[in-house]
Amino acid sequence: MIVVVGIGADGMAGLTAPSLAELHRATVIYGAQRQLGLLDDTVKAERRQWPSPMLGTLETLRDIDGDVHVLASGDPMLHGVGRLLIKLLGADQVVVLPHVSSVALACARLGWAVQDTEVISLMTAEPDSAVRRGGQAVVLCRDGSSPAALARLLAGSGRGDSELTVLEQLGGPDERRRDTTAREWAANPPDDVDDLNVVAVRYLPDDSRLSVLPDDAFAHDGQITKQSMRAVTLATLAPRTGELLWDVGSGSGSIAIEWCRSGSRCRAVAFERDQQRRKRIAENALAHGAIVDVRGEAPGAFDEIVLSAGGVDGLPRPSAIFIGGGLTQPGLLQACYERLPAGGRLVVNAVTAESEAVLAQWYSRVGGELRRFQHYSGEPLGAFTGWRPAMPVTQWSVTTR
């Protein structure tokens, strides 16, 4: 059995009686150097520091006879080692004794309701994943440099007025709080931020929305799936929590970004041949806090990715692929279709007769659903109003078998 004990910055003094009893009976305790350093002399167990990377050691714990104890920060089930151990070993092999989490402590200090606060971890993600266009969040930081990195990103993406509260050593005798704005912190970042810190952020200006974004929310050169068609395309792609999209012929990245906005932990890879557009996709993704990996032209860029049973470059295979451009390129549609797992979704939009011909052939071969959309907008016509049509869009969608 693996027993995971959460501990706070207050060390042994903050532990409950069951947690203390587990540590006192332990024979070996695994943990990070900082966590192990919080134990006092009443704990007689051998202390083993995690190596880097630690995954290999975690997998060997199941082979140790008797109970093994693991020390973790705060609540081990909140972006912590508890969840990872359960995933590796099974819930019946792991007992978790949580401490008060840093998120709960941060919300208590600020008077925020926990259920109204997003939790973002930078332990394994980059700071740009914590950029938002509104709302409030507690950001779990990797080290003392993370608050400055986040502040610079917010200031650089028009969110310099965002209110930051940097909380260090939460719950411990050396707890410290600093209130500022992203702009102020970015301009003059302190050099004494403790590695054990979280940042509470109120994102300003708050222009968040749950609906599909207007076209002017994206920088683009005209190569963008328009808002109405974007809404239809997202409905057909049907993103689910944690899924990965490949956006082929990404243009401005609008579909990839909307995919990431649509559900928790959704990510995307954007394939685009034009270098300037690739730069623009990255900028758009940053502005909306979307996790988009920008790559070169498809299907050539597919050859740079090693496909294996484990996934793609350490990432899982895409759950869905959207093709918004380059459809007439020889082999593109076949390459995309082959890279989807069973049950994967493929959605393709076409506006030219040549592209429509390709879709008609594939629809005849493998089935799916073929639809055409025509959108009109009201515009002045003399003293009256007339309807001006946008270019019709043919859409083919299919689920792989």
Side-chain angles (χ1 to χ4, degrees):
M1 184 68 68
I2 309 298
V3 182
V4 187
V5 177
I7 191 169
D10 51 355
M12 302 283 289
L15 294 177
T16 62
S19 294
L20 283 170
E22 284 295 338
L23 293 177
H24 284 145
R25 79 175 185 87
T27 57
V28 58
I29 300 175
Y30 289 86
Q33 180 179 5
R34 180 181 56 79
Q35 296 152 2
L36 294 173
L38 294 171
L39 302 178
D40 62 23
D41 293 339
T42 64
V43 177
K44 305 300 183 182
E46 177 188 353
R47 306 175 189 187
R48 296 182 183 176
Q49 184 178 334
W50 293 122
S52 182
M54 61 185 290
L55 184 59
T57 301
L58 290 177
E59 293 174 335
T60 66
L61 296 185
R62 63 161 64 91
D63 300 325
I64 300 176
D65 292 332
D67 292 346
V68 177
H69 290 73
V70 173
L71 202 59
S73 290
D75 183 353
M77 299 303 293
L78 181 66
H79 294 283
V81 72
R83 173 181 173 274
L84 182 56
L85 283 168
I86 288 173
K87 182 178 180 180
L88 289 172
L89 309 179
D92 59 334
Q93 296 298 312
V94 182
V95 173
V96 178
L97 301 176
H99 193 273
V100 179
S101 73
S102 57
V103 172
L105 289 171
C107 288
R109 301 294 187 266
L110 275 74
W112 290 0
V114 176
Q115 69 269 18
D116 297 333
T117 304
E118 184 180 4
V119 180
I120 305 170
S121 176
L122 300 185
M123 297 301 178
T124 57
E126 296 303 315
D128 56 6
S129 65
V131 176
R132 298 289 184 272
R133 299 185 72 88
Q136 63 191 36
V138 172
V139 181
L140 310 178
C141 292
R142 186 182 307 172
D143 54 38
S145 68
S146 298
L150 176 58
R152 287 192 295 269
L153 287 169
L154 290 171
S157 60
R159 295 290 178 273
D161 291 335
S162 297
E163 299 169 354
L164 305 187
T165 299
V166 180
L167 297 157
E168 304 159 69
Q169 290 286 333
L170 266 172
D174 298 322
E175 179 176 321
R176 178 165 58 176
R177 167 177 176 167
R178 289 186 262 195
D179 298 285
T180 183
T181 66
R183 184 178 297 105
E184 292 168 347
W185 194 279
N188 188 27
D191 59 4
D192 61 343
V193 181
D194 192 273
D195 284 341
L196 184 62
N197 74 87
V198 303
V199 182
V201 188
R202 192 183 299 278
Y203 296 96
L204 298 173
D206 190 337
D207 59 357
S208 59
R209 63 176 72 193
L210 299 178
S211 61
V212 172
L213 297 169
D215 295 342
D216 60 11
F218 303 95
H220 63 90
D221 59 2
Q223 293 298 312
I224 183 174
T225 303
K226 300 300 191 292
Q227 183 187 36
S228 55
M229 197 61 214
R230 213 180 314 129
V232 170
T233 301
L234 262 293
T236 307
L237 284 168
R240 301 165 190 159
T241 298
E243 287 190 327
L244 176 69
L245 171 76
W246 283 9
D247 181 5
V248 177
S250 189
S252 66
S254 62
I255 292 291
I257 291 167
E258 296 281 20
W259 169 278
C260 294
R261 295 180 63 249
S262 66
S264 174
R265 304 192 310 278
C266 285
R267 298 162 297 129
V269 179
F271 296 90
E272 172 56 51
R273 67 179 179 180
D274 184 88
Q275 183 177 0
Q276 184 59 37
R277 288 177 184 165
R278 290 198 297 269
K279 181 175 181 292
R280 193 177 291 122
I281 292 169
E283 292 170 349
N284 283 332
L286 173 59
H288 294 282
I291 308 301
V292 180
D293 179 8
V294 184
R295 307 242 179 172
E297 183 179 12
F302 294 168
D303 296 333
E304 302 169 5
I305 300 173
V306 179
L307 291 172
S308 66
V312 182
D313 276 3
L315 298 173
R317 289 175 181 265
S319 302
I321 295 179
F322 169 69
I323 304 177
L327 184 59
T328 57
Q329 186 175 348
L332 176 63
L333 190 48
Q334 181 71 42
C336 291
Y337 189 81
E338 291 174 349
R339 280 163 171 77
L340 280 169
R345 289 99 66 199
L346 176 63
V347 178
V348 189
N349 289 353
V351 296
T352 68
E354 291 80 3
S355 297
E356 288 181 342
V358 175
L359 294 188
Q361 292 172 0
W362 274 82
Y363 174 67
S364 298
R365 280 178 50 196
V366 301
E369 189 169 359
L370 191 65
R371 298 182 290 178
R372 172 174 278 194
F373 299 94
Q374 177 73 73
H375 295 94
Y376 295 81
S377 58
E379 295 186 6
L381 185 63
F384 300 94
T385 301
W387 292 106
R388 182 176 297 277
M391 290 185 67
V393 178
T394 300
Q395 183 181 89
W396 176 58
S397 60
V398 67
T399 300
T400 54
R401 298 170 184 167

